[in-house]
Amino acid sequence: MRRYAYAVPYWLWIALFVIAPIILIVYYSFFDIEGRFSLVNYETFFTPVYLRMTVNSFWYAFLITACSLLIAYPTAYLLTKTKHKQLWLLLIILPTWVNLLLKAYAFLGLFGTYGAVNALLEAIGIGTKQLLFTDFSFVFVSVYIFIPFMILPIFNALEKLNHSLIDAARDLGASEWTTFRRVIFPLTLDGVKAGCQAVFIPSLSLFMLTRLIAGNRVITLGTAVEQHFLVTQNWGMGATIAVFLMIAMAGIMAITGNKKWGVRQ
Amino acid sequence: MDDRVIIRFNHVTKQYDDDLPVLDDVSFDIERGKFYTLLGPSGCGKTTILRLIAGFIEPTKGDIYFHGQRINHVPSNKRRVNTVFQDYALFPHLNVFENVAFGLRIKKIPKADIERKVKEALRFVNLEGYEQRAIHEMSGGQRQRVAIARAIVNEPDVLLLDEPLSALDLKLRTEMQYELRELQRRLGITFIFVTHDQEEALAMSDEIFVLNKGKIEQRGTPKDIYDEPVNRFVADFIGESNIIVGTMIDDFVVEFANQQFTCVDYGFSKNEQVDIVIRPEDLELTTAELGKLRVRVDSVLFRGVHYELCCYDAYGNEWLVHSTKKAEIGEEIGLHFEPEAIHVMKRSGGE
């Protein structure tokens, strides 16, 4: 019985901070702005405005994930080959300890009209450009923020990879590229999936960056949730969008779920 | 260059950073169609030789020739050599068929041919019907056969085996020794087998290289190496031995344990200090009066096929005897041996 006693705090936590909020969100989603029980929020969600917003969210989340992966995989691969792995890894993890807002404000300074980047562009003769409040800067900053979460699982997967498998592939006639394509990548796919989950799911509901960096030019589901709860006070609609976000996340988890290769010996 | 030579090492040295060289100025030839064994303790450089031949590492100094061509910088995927790895290194994400087909698929061989060759290779190692199995469903011995099939299906000129039997239990290991030897005869290709197990080496090889500290101590047939070890290290490594210091009085006369004995060795300088080896199974138990040596039994161990007796003579030399006869502890007995049983070796520096 002692064993169950130790689990009590855990279950309390889960009940209070996971299960109860989900039930509350689902409950709120069935009330319209007047506080009457109705399904009007769900009808509204399937109007073009919200559907476009959904597509937008997925598109940006996809862009951010794809860019992160493209940068993170080679980085992680090079990391496993360097001498002072742990030091480099620490340098990559370090920015995640800084608050997201602080990083966003830092980019406001860097990308601003009189910021460092524009000063550099001016100096090399390209001239001042509008950097802030563009799609580009939104994706760029998001990728910057999420990249450590992509690098870590891939790095771990590469580290775990048995090096004699690479020797074996080379021994059987595979070129470096074929070895990567047929052995290294398939065997680190679990790390890639974990990284994609860690980036795609949070970027689906990003809201702070959309305002600070993208200047509300990018409106995602996350922004809409924030607006409904804090500005229009339409909690029902905000909760409904949150329900759909949760369904989407569950779906992504299911798709990228880990399939184990059995016992490695 | 001799037509039968397939691999030639010419003064090859391999050194990492400023450490002592793992392989120190080694030269040898490997002939086609033979079963070679590289034998030595861990860290002697035997696996380094294998990795140099496979192309996973490059020599620091010296040249490696394959069919007369220098291959120092040829990458491993361009060499007609395949390896059976110590941990088998089977691809866990592919099934048995795909593991064996890996090399063939890279060569872009027609599908029907791949099917046929893979089936044939699996039949060769007695694994018909296991094509669709996942690697983690196979036992240690089966994995090993898959690894062998994956290597031989590419029809290499040389097959490298890096301690492939060390992970198997004793019974399976003995069985696989027979099978590997048989496989080599049937395929007729050169096998280079690495092991630290002297029994394995003696049982399987046409020729053994005994390595120590990055150098080849001795090369020869199993019989040569067992019967005529060139120095104390080889004698000690290749089997349990009595090794004592003696003096070569004259040709065919050697002195040890304060007595002179006739032997079959000659060509040493007079009164040269030498190492004497007498194998435990060459010593025979008799009564104290009849024996050439008089010793006292210190301990007796039953080993199944024979008793192992540890005895000491009057001068403190230890004598290990393998005998089917039993003796009592503390008993004084005699040891008899033939002149051929005495192996005289030059003293190697410092050893």
Side-chain angles (χ1 to χ4, degrees):
Chain A
M1 284 302 110
R2 282 256 300 280
R3 246 183 342 157
Y4 294 106
Y6 289 135
V8 166
Y10 170 74
W11 285 111
L12 263 175
W13 179 274
I14 294 283
L16 274 174
F17 297 108
V18 179
I19 298 172
I22 290 177
I23 292 171
L24 269 179
I25 287 172
V26 175
Y27 175 76
Y28 274 117
S29 71
F30 290 112
F31 291 92
D32 67 10
I33 195 161
E34 311 290 327
R36 280 182 305 244
F37 182 85
S38 84
L39 288 175
V40 67
N41 295 326
Y42 285 88
E43 280 167 34
T44 320
F45 188 82
F46 288 102
T47 56
V49 180
Y50 284 99
L51 285 181
R52 192 172 308 131
M53 215 181 277
T54 311
V55 171
N56 240 335
S57 298
F58 272 91
W59 169 242
Y60 281 107
F62 168 77
L63 264 184
I64 293 164
T65 311
C67 292
S68 305
L69 180 60
L70 277 180
I71 300 168
Y73 203 106
T75 312
Y77 189 77
L78 286 179
L79 264 182
T80 58
K81 304 240 174 253
T82 51
K83 259 196 174 159
H84 306 286
K85 284 180 220 183
Q86 296 310 324
L87 177 72
W88 288 109
L89 204 60
L90 187 74
L91 288 177
I92 284 168
I93 297 169
L94 218 55
T96 64
W97 299 348
V98 177
N99 187 289
L100 179 92
L101 269 180
L102 290 180
K103 284 185 278 192
Y105 280 118
F107 272 102
L108 283 179
L110 281 174
F111 281 175
T113 317
Y114 304 105
V117 177
N118 265 324
L120 182 76
L121 287 179
E122 191 72 46
I124 58 174
I126 295 176
T128 312
K129 286 268 190 282
Q130 176 65 37
L131 293 172
L132 273 182
F133 315 134
T134 60
D135 293 1
F136 164 77
S137 59
F138 172 63
V139 173
F140 185 92
V141 175
S142 306
V143 168
Y144 166 79
I145 284 164
F146 284 124
I147 227 161
F149 302 102
M150 186 67 95
I151 291 180
L152 270 180
I154 296 176
F155 175 81
N156 286 332
L158 282 167
E159 278 281 282
K160 264 196 295 182
L161 188 70
N162 179 357
H163 198 272
S164 64
L165 291 177
I166 297 169
D167 281 345
R170 302 280 285 146
D171 185 74
L172 292 165
S175 63
E176 273 180 71
W177 169 243
T178 315
T179 303
F180 175 77
R181 199 167 49 86
R182 307 218 18 201
V183 176
I184 301 174
F185 189 74
L187 286 176
T188 50
L189 204 58
D190 282 347
V192 172
K193 282 179 179 171
C196 287
Q197 274 182 9
V199 173
F200 193 88
I201 291 173
S203 49
L204 208 51
S205 56
L206 269 180
F207 64 93
M208 201 61 82
L209 292 179
T210 53
R211 191 161 57 240
L212 289 174
I213 304 291
N216 276 345
R217 281 175 47 89
V218 177
I219 297 188
T220 60
L221 291 176
T223 328
V225 173
E226 189 214 8
Q227 296 288 315
H228 277 304
F229 273 94
L230 300 179
V231 183
T232 62
Q233 298 286 319
N234 187 353
W235 285 27
M237 192 60 220
T240 307
I241 299 169
V243 167
F244 280 103
L245 271 176
M246 285 192 293
I247 293 171
M249 288 169 191
I252 290 155
M253 298 270 269
I255 294 168
T256 55
N258 280 0
K259 183 175 149 256
K260 278 273 153 241
W261 296 119
V263 203
R264 275 255 308 272
Q265 303 241 330
Chain B
M1 190 179 282
D2 187 344
D3 212 35
R4 291 190 347 239
V5 172
I6 185 160
I7 295 171
R8 167 163 290 172
F9 270 51
N10 197 7
H11 298 289
V12 172
T13 297
K14 179 68 190 176
Q15 191 167 12
Y16 292 102
D17 302 327
D18 289 331
D19 294 342
L20 281 173
V22 265
L23 210 58
D24 192 2
D25 192 24
V26 165
S27 302
F28 59 84
D29 289 348
I30 298 275
E31 284 174 18
R32 70 173 77 244
K34 279 194 182 176
F35 197 122
Y36 289 89
T37 298
L38 307 178
L39 176 68
S42 57
C44 69
K46 56 193 194 293
T47 300
T48 307
I49 293 180
L50 219 60
R51 295 179 67 81
L52 282 166
I53 297 173
F56 303 140
I57 49 176
E58 288 180 11
T60 315
K61 263 184 269 169
D63 295 308
I64 302 171
Y65 296 92
F66 192 76
H67 284 311
Q69 267 164 340
R70 189 168 170 275
I71 54 158
N72 283 25
H73 305 298
V74 175
S76 48
N77 55 325
K78 299 261 194 282
R79 299 189 182 190
R80 294 194 46 79
V81 165
N82 285 112
T83 309
V84 176
F85 292 84
Q86 186 168 13
D87 59 357
Y88 313 144
L90 298 171
F91 304 120
H93 58 304
L94 303 175
N95 63 18
V96 169
F97 184 92
E98 285 304 321
N99 260 285
V100 178
F102 192 91
L104 301 175
R105 291 223 191 278
I106 282 162
K107 281 181 212 126
K108 303 246 181 323
I109 287 170
K111 268 212 165 108
D113 288 352
I114 292 181
E115 189 102 351
R116 185 176 50 77
K117 286 187 177 201
V118 170
K119 286 243 159 90
E120 203 177 273
L122 285 174
R123 192 164 54 237
F124 233 79
V125 294
N126 296 323
L127 278 181
E128 274 173 299
Y130 286 87
E131 286 86 352
Q132 300 311 317
R133 291 278 187 104
I135 295 305
H136 67 86
E137 293 171 326
M138 307 288 277
S139 72
Q142 290 171 330
R143 281 178 208 200
Q144 200 207 348
R145 287 160 205 257
V146 178
I148 292 170
R150 184 178 69 174
I152 60 172
V153 79
N154 300 292
E155 294 160 20
D157 294 344
V158 178
L159 187 69
L160 307 174
L161 301 110
D162 187 6
E163 307 208 25
L165 306 183
S166 59
L168 306 179
D169 61 61
L170 183 66
K171 192 163 174 293
L172 200 55
R173 195 157 66 215
T174 326
E175 225 173 271
M176 285 309 293
Q177 285 174 11
Y178 279 107
E179 285 189 29
L180 276 180
R181 185 72 242 225
E182 181 56 30
L183 190 69
Q184 191 268 334
R185 289 214 177 97
R186 274 192 288 164
L187 291 171
I189 60 177
T190 312
F191 275 36
I192 304 179
F193 185 91
V194 158
T195 184
H196 59 262
D197 182 336
Q198 79 284 358
E199 277 180 46
E200 217 162 83
L202 292 171
M204 299 167 75
S205 328
D206 288 318
E207 201 163 330
I208 298 176
F209 290 52
V210 183
L211 285 123
N212 184 33
K213 294 179 184 160
K215 282 195 177 288
I216 296 175
E217 297 280 355
Q218 188 175 2
R219 65 173 288 182
T221 63
K223 211 167 151 22
D224 284 348
I225 298 227
Y226 191 83
D227 287 345
E228 295 299 330
V230 291
N231 58 31
R232 186 180 261 268
F233 174 82
V234 177
D236 199 31
F237 195 79
I238 208 75
E240 285 169 294
S241 285
N242 298 298
I243 306 173
I244 50 168
V245 182
T247 314
M248 208 63 190
I249 303 299
D250 206 341
D251 281 355
F252 309 112
V253 181
V254 65
E255 182 189 286
F256 56 91
N258 264 18
Q259 292 173 57
Q260 293 196 355
F261 299 95
T262 0
C263 64
V264 292
D265 299 84
Y266 56 92
F268 293 85
S269 24
K270 277 198 178 149
N271 296 320
E272 187 182 336
Q273 286 260 303
V274 288
D275 278 326
I276 309 290
V277 171
I278 303 179
R279 296 277 172 199
E281 65 271 21
D282 290 338
L283 292 169
E284 249 174 85
L285 285 195
T286 55
T287 56
E289 294 74 38
L290 286 173
K292 287 189 177 176
L293 275 168
R294 198 179 268 247
V295 296
R296 191 170 293 282
V297 180
D298 191 58
S299 65
V300 180
L301 214 62
F302 180 59
R303 289 284 197 145
V305 208
H306 56 73
Y307 289 97
E308 184 173 293
L309 283 71
C310 180
C311 314
Y312 286 94
D313 64 18
Y315 311 97
N317 295 318
E318 188 188 3
W319 294 94
L320 213 57
V321 185
H322 288 174
S323 167
T324 46
K325 289 184 219 154
K326 198 172 184 251
E328 294 304 319
I329 292 174
E331 193 184 348
E332 189 157 66
I333 54 167
L335 296 178
H336 179 78
F337 49 86
E338 301 297 327
E340 294 82 28
I342 304 172
H343 306 297
V344 180
M345 308 178 301
K346 281 207 180 291
R347 298 214 69 189
S348 34
E351 298 240 27

